[in-house]
Amino acid sequence: MSSRTDFSSGFQPAFDRVRTIVEARAGERQTPIVPPGNVAGRALVITVAIMTFLASLTIGAVSLVSKTAAEWQNDISREITVQVIPREGLDMDAALSSVEEVARATSGVTAAARLTDSATSRLLEPWLGGDLSLDELPVPRLVVVSIDAGAPPDFDALRTRLQSEVPEARLDDHRAWVSRLVAMASAMILTGIGVLVLVLVATTLTVVFATRGAMAGNKQIVEVLHFVGARSEFIAAQFQTHFLRMGLIGALFGGSAAVVLFWMMGLWTESNQARPEADQISALFGSFAIGWSGYLGVAFVIVLVGGLTALTSRFTVVRQLSLIDMLSPVEN
């Protein structure tokens, strides 16, 4: 008799809480098992927001690198350059004209035009200054050759013909740069996927510890509900709803912050196009716009983090309840 009295007194607060929940449900008023607002819940929301922000930045960066690399590759694949090395006694104008004629006569070439002296001076201005006379310096001259990307010319044959007509001509088809660019973009994408996986794993572990903490804080309520016959699915659904709400709130905050950051960076590059810093960023990342694919990726991350939070909490609760069943004393 005394042991039964001790058991009842020890679980009396939990019985009172369960009675409140049952009475509230009888009156069609929702009283959640897990308190909706506490310090642990707010900390979880902030943690999920940070994780989602990092994951969204990763998605945006991967989308940005992939899009910019594709643009670089398309630009490079549409043009090649022929460099004419100056030497003593070389008639540069005649050599450039010969290069243009040979290029235009080649199948797969759509246009060929020399780079003007003013354009060459602008290219060299950051290093040699504005008052530059090309006639006084042995500066190589360039001929830009536009090619048909669908049916490119035979570069080896074109190189041979150019060197036979103009021995000082050097053809650069940019294939080495394209291969390096593709390798760099692939490495960046793989790195981004790895970072995204690590962020999701960290989020899962955080939710596991938060769920265990919530169950520890409501241990007696959960045990009483479980012992009086409440199904594990019912108890797990309560925790799942609670953590789904917190996960979605944190994910929305983190994803929205990442979208705002990308949007502000795009506005900054557009408003500072004449400045060197913006020019360098534009050269690397274009207009710094992640596009619809990037925004859809951020939305997918938000939904994924919210769903992962809910499923992780449900799995953790079911596992904890199964451990309670295993540790419960067997009645004789």
Side-chain angles (χ1 to χ4, degrees), residues 57-71 262 265 281 284-291 293-294:
L57 286 184
T58 303
I59 290 290
V62 168
S63 176
L64 207 59
V65 169
S66 178
K67 178 182 175 182
T68 305
E71 293 177 355
F262 282 114
M265 287 298 298
I281 293 178
L284 290 174
F285 303 107
S287 60
F288 215 92
I290 61 176
S293 60

Side-chain angles (χ1 to χ4, degrees), residues 90-107:
L90 176 66
D91 188 350
M92 183 60 71
D93 290 335
L96 293 175
S97 299
S98 298
V99 170
E100 291 174 342
E101 291 177 2
V102 171
R104 290 168 184 166
T106 303
S107 176

Side-chain angles (χ1 to χ4, degrees), residues 217-326:
N218 300 272
K219 179 179 180 181
Q220 292 184 344
I221 299 172
V222 173
E223 289 180 350
V224 169
L225 284 172
H226 191 54
F227 289 148
V228 299
R231 299 179 61 184
S232 299
E233 289 77 7
F234 168 77
I235 300 175
Q238 305 303 309
F239 282 87
Q240 178 179 342
T241 303
H242 174 75
F243 283 97
L244 175 62
R245 181 170 58 252
M246 289 195 301
L248 286 177
I249 292 174
L252 284 173
F253 274 112
S256 300
V259 169
V260 170
L261 178 62
F262 282 114
W263 178 69
M264 292 178 63
M265 287 298 298
L267 289 181
W268 183 82
T269 53
E270 289 181 2
S271 60
N272 295 274
Q273 289 183 352
R275 302 182 61 182
E277 297 85 355
D279 290 341
Q280 292 176 2
I281 293 178
S282 298
L284 290 174
F285 303 107
S287 60
F288 215 92
I290 61 176
W292 288 108
S293 60
Y295 291 115
L296 288 177
V298 173
F300 173 75
V301 168
I302 293 174
V303 176
L304 178 63
V305 170
L308 184 64
T309 303
L311 293 177
T312 303
S313 63
R314 182 181 184 89
F315 175 78
T316 305
V317 171
V318 172
R319 181 175 176 82
Q320 291 295 107
L321 292 176
S322 65
L323 292 176
I324 292 176
D325 291 336
M326 293 175 59

Side-chain angles (χ1 to χ4, degrees), residues 10-330:
F11 280 87
Q12 188 61 41
F15 278 116
D16 295 339
R17 173 68 175 169
V18 172
R19 186 181 300 110
T20 302
I21 295 174
V22 172
E23 292 175 354
R25 290 190 176 277
E28 298 183 355
R29 183 168 53 89
Q30 299 294 326
T31 301
I33 296 176
V34 185
N38 51 48
V39 176
R42 289 191 292 271
L44 179 61
V45 170
I46 294 174
T47 303
V48 171
I50 294 174
M51 295 296 183
T52 308
F53 177 74
L54 295 177
S56 300
L57 286 184
T58 303
I59 290 290
V62 168
S63 176
L64 207 59
V65 169
S66 178
K67 178 182 175 182
T68 305
E71 293 177 355
W72 286 353
Q73 188 172 357
N74 290 333
D75 292 340
I76 292 175
S77 64
R78 288 195 296 263
E79 287 184 350
I80 60 176
T81 55
V82 179
Q83 186 182 65
V84 179
I85 307 298
R87 64 174 176 80
E88 187 176 356
L90 176 66
D91 188 350
M92 183 60 71
D93 290 335
L96 293 175
S97 299
S98 298
V99 170
E100 291 174 342
E101 291 177 2
V102 171
R104 290 168 184 166
T106 303
S107 176
V109 174
T110 58
R114 71 182 69 182
L115 206 63
T116 62
D117 291 348
S118 59
T120 304
S121 298
R122 284 197 301 270
L123 289 176
L124 299 175
E125 183 177 353
W127 294 273
L128 301 179
D131 299 331
L132 179 63
S133 177
L134 298 180
D135 296 331
E136 299 176 358
L137 294 175
V139 177
R141 307 298 178 87
L142 297 178
V143 176
V144 179
V145 180
S146 301
I147 63 176
D148 185 359
D154 186 345
F155 295 115
D156 294 333
L158 177 58
R159 182 179 290 107
T160 302
R161 287 196 298 270
L162 284 172
Q163 290 186 348
S164 63
E165 293 291 334
V166 183
E168 295 79 10
R170 303 290 183 269
L171 175 65
D172 186 1
D173 57 9
H174 310 298
R175 281 183 289 186
W177 292 104
V178 171
S179 61
R180 293 177 183 177
L181 182 62
V182 172
M184 182 192 70
S186 301
M188 290 289 293
I189 292 174
L190 291 177
T191 302
I193 293 174
V195 172
L196 181 62
V197 171
L198 290 177
V199 169
L200 293 179
V201 170
T203 304
T204 302
L205 295 177
T206 302
V207 174
V208 169
F209 288 115
T211 305
R212 289 179 178 177
M215 288 193 67
N218 300 272
K219 179 179 180 181
Q220 292 184 344
I221 299 172
V222 173
E223 289 180 350
V224 169
L225 284 172
H226 191 54
F227 289 148
V228 299
R231 299 179 61 184
S232 299
E233 289 77 7
F234 168 77
I235 300 175
Q238 305 303 309
F239 282 87
Q240 178 179 342
T241 303
H242 174 75
F243 283 97
L244 175 62
R245 181 170 58 252
M246 289 195 301
L248 286 177
I249 292 174
L252 284 173
F253 274 112
S256 300
V259 169
V260 170
L261 178 62
F262 282 114
W263 178 69
M264 292 178 63
M265 287 298 298
L267 289 181
W268 183 82
T269 53
E270 289 181 2
S271 60
N272 295 274
Q273 289 183 352
R275 302 182 61 182
E277 297 85 355
D279 290 341
Q280 292 176 2
I281 293 178
S282 298
L284 290 174
F285 303 107
S287 60
F288 215 92
I290 61 176
W292 288 108
S293 60
Y295 291 115
L296 288 177
V298 173
F300 173 75
V301 168
I302 293 174
V303 176
L304 178 63
V305 170
L308 184 64
T309 303
L311 293 177
T312 303
S313 63
R314 182 181 184 89
F315 175 78
T316 305
V317 171
V318 172
R319 181 175 176 82
Q320 291 295 107
L321 292 176
S322 65
L323 292 176
I324 292 176
D325 291 336
M326 293 175 59
L327 296 176
S328 299
V330 181

